Amino acid sequence: MSGRATFLETHGVPELLAPAGGPEPFNAALAAGADAIYCGLGNDFNARRGAKNFDDESFAAACRRAHLAGARAYVTVNVAISTEEMPRVLELVRRAWLLGADAFIIQDWGLMAQIRRTWPQIETHVSTQANVQDARGVAWCRDVWGVDRVTLSRELSLAEISRIAEEGVELECFGHGALCFCYSGVCLMSSLAGGRSANRGLCAQPCRLPYDLVDEKGRVLEIPGVPTQGLPEKNRGVGGTRLLCPKDYCTVDHLAEMRDAGVGSLKVEGRMKAPDYVFSVVGAYRDALDALAAGEQDEVAATARHRRLRRAFNRDFTESYLWGHSDNDMMSYERSNNRGEVVGEVVGSRQLEDAVVRRGGGNGGRERMRRHTRADVDVRLTAPVGAGDLLEIRPVDDPTQFLTANAVADAPAGAVITCRAARPMPDGSVVRVIRSQRALDDAARVADKDVVRRRPVRVRVVARLGVPFKVELECVDGAAAARAEGFVVEPAQTRAVCVEDLVEHVGRMGQSPFEPVGWEVELDPGCGMGFSAVHKVRAEACRLLEEALLAPYAERALLIGDSPQFTDAPAVGGTSAEPEVCALVTCPECAEAALAAGATRVYAPADELAERPDAWPEGTVPWLDEICREGDHARLDPWVRAEEPVAVGNVSELALAAACGALPEVRSCIPVHNVSALAALEDAGAAGVWLSPELTLDEVCALARAARVPVGLSVFGRERVMTSEHCVLQALDQCVHDCRRCALRRRRLSLRNIDGRELPVRTDVNGRSRIFSASPLDATPQATELIAAGVSRLLVDGQLMDSAEVSAAVARVARAVEAVRDGRRPASRASGATSGHLFAGIG
């Protein structure tokens, strides 16, 4: 760690960290008061590759603006990196550092290892994509990696954050914006469904789509209050069908609690959001943090902040995770699009005479006439609107038949306004502001400006007869100071200058990034001077202060050295272990069936082992969760035992296993996509590695050849694609608040997507749901290549299988291994199964 003081320590409130998908939202964030801004350089190696992002020139300019204003710029390299990409990513990091990046947000442990080893002076932040959720995991990041900051999972409560803060590592926590349904970093739904990986920055957001919850026979289960049977086709996908869509997070009313818990940086989500969204949300949180720092409580100001937030894009708001909840209150089952703010209802409509619209007719073509229906819609306001605000008008009985219109003028609450719309709307239709024209105008005003926020400075002017005129500038935050001297001050020939003259003319800093807020003027009586000469000295002082503020960045080229030489060949690599048929099962009967069918290694989830500890075959290896929060230690930690194997799904469990001398096998939810990550995790204590289902066959084989520990791969069964703190079954409104007694949890339910494919869903005894792939995997036809490369553990994922299915699946893999030993090709792929990404890499 750098040892620098954290923002919370120096300012007394958390850093306000804003998103920027490109130069325009960057300016919006800076103008709105962000302390730091995170963004992507280029479109290849960050988790929002669909954003505009930055090129070198625009990024350098943005960094300069930020640094002069007193803000910082963080670059996201928060994706999994392949071995062949590592040299390019390292060059990007080096280039971004030279251009002015203050820190890098990183998911991939291989990239982290390379940066920490090559450039220890570079500030590194662990991304939320790295799935760190407890104090032990944060301490591991501190002690093993020396990172400066850890971004925690969004699901954590204030109590958990407070405990983690005791480790002394700066913590970044989610404060506002869109919530993922799945824990960040362990989502495979987008990649396994369509090849667009969330771990590679191309998530297709399948959690925002409609799903039906279906039973074992494919029958749709009714969501209370929203019938799913008999709805007309046009109504499908509305109401209660957005079963994986959370509301947006909003913590603006609880910043004091977050500060007291030890949150060092408050993150606003939104690198895919428009500049007006960034301006509105960042501005609202800036106002709230400033009020907190000043100890102010103003209900009028708080109401204005809420209005500002609701008129930016939102799916309604939740704060459930702050208090350790994950109930239906946090879900937006009925819609996944912008809700805006409710501002009134329709009280009347009048259809106008149809307008005739002429189309075509150019170049000798035939002119066509079309009638265009128009209507005046009267709206009684319950909240004020502004001229140009975009209104959504949505009927209560058939919400799909909504339309939009614009407010034509400012109007207060209680007024009735008339909007021009495409058609009449039923009385009682709900009217919302879904986009604020004022926010659009505010963001547009700063979009292409070079100075959007001025840094406060104290000014000292010295005008003594017979000595050079001096202007001294000092940043209020103490970051830098500068002094410029000019002409020799002489006696006045006509009118002598006064203090007010100097304050006026030295204070004209309009083209500079500085704003005078404090003055000290030393002026001898009878001094005379030309104000143009005064302006030159002031301008020189501003230039020198800019130079002083930017000097640390200009000096980096002397410190960082040339581009690193990266080699993907480890000093030691390759294992000669005999291939093993492995099985992951959920009951002792399935474990016995797996062993009988030829498995030599059996794994079981910790909760299932705990249910019937004496019934499991000897040697069953614990398969620990991908989630490890403070409250999970009591049930997971006992399964980590010295000199015994254990499959770990979280870096916290890896840290514990390494500390107590266990033999941890890193599960695929700690992604290993490159040889640097492989070596780094081996050095951190991994005694085995399970490779990601997002890898191609060539990538799997290359990593297996480089490994110093046994390498495994799931070759048959359904992959887990999501893990959520929220139980999917809660949508049925039958929760008994005791997962062990829940009858629904024991059923074989699935989510049916818009393509008619069914994704099995299971909820464990801790209330967490896991969703599985719609298609089973069968990689056994590639057993020859896998075994030849050194993949020694071939896994049947039997978590959804009964004992007969486990037996058949294990036997299939065993036959494939036997065929390889005999020099024969394994059997062809099972009907209906997929090869996953073995032959079709992720985006």
Side-chain angles (χ1 to χ4, degrees), residues 219-238:
R219 296 173 298 198
V220 177
L221 300 178
E222 299 287 349
I223 305 300
V226 184
T228 56
Q229 306 290 350
L231 272 179
E233 185 62 29
K234 66 180 181 180
N235 284 9
R236 300 298 289 168
V238 302

Side-chain angles (χ1 to χ4, degrees), residues 306-370:
H306 278 276
R307 175 154 294 147
R308 199 171 181 186
L309 292 173
R310 287 205 170 272
R311 295 186 182 198
F313 184 101
N314 72 87
R315 300 177 179 90
D316 202 359
F317 294 127
T318 180
E319 57 188 49
S320 289
Y321 283 149
L322 276 183
W323 319 114
H325 303 151
S326 57
D327 49 19
N328 279 339
D329 183 63
M330 65 172 283
M331 300 301 294
S332 180
Y333 289 138
E334 64 272 29
R335 60 190 290 185
S336 61
N337 59 351
N338 185 12
R339 293 183 184 219
E341 180 190 22
V342 174
V343 294
E345 66 175 14
V346 172
V347 293
S349 286
R350 296 170 300 285
Q351 183 166 333
L352 304 177
E353 181 179 346
D354 291 350
V356 177
V357 181
R358 299 178 182 274
R359 300 213 182 262
N363 297 322
R366 183 178 177 183
E367 184 177 75
R368 291 173 296 170
M369 311 283 285
R370 189 168 78 83

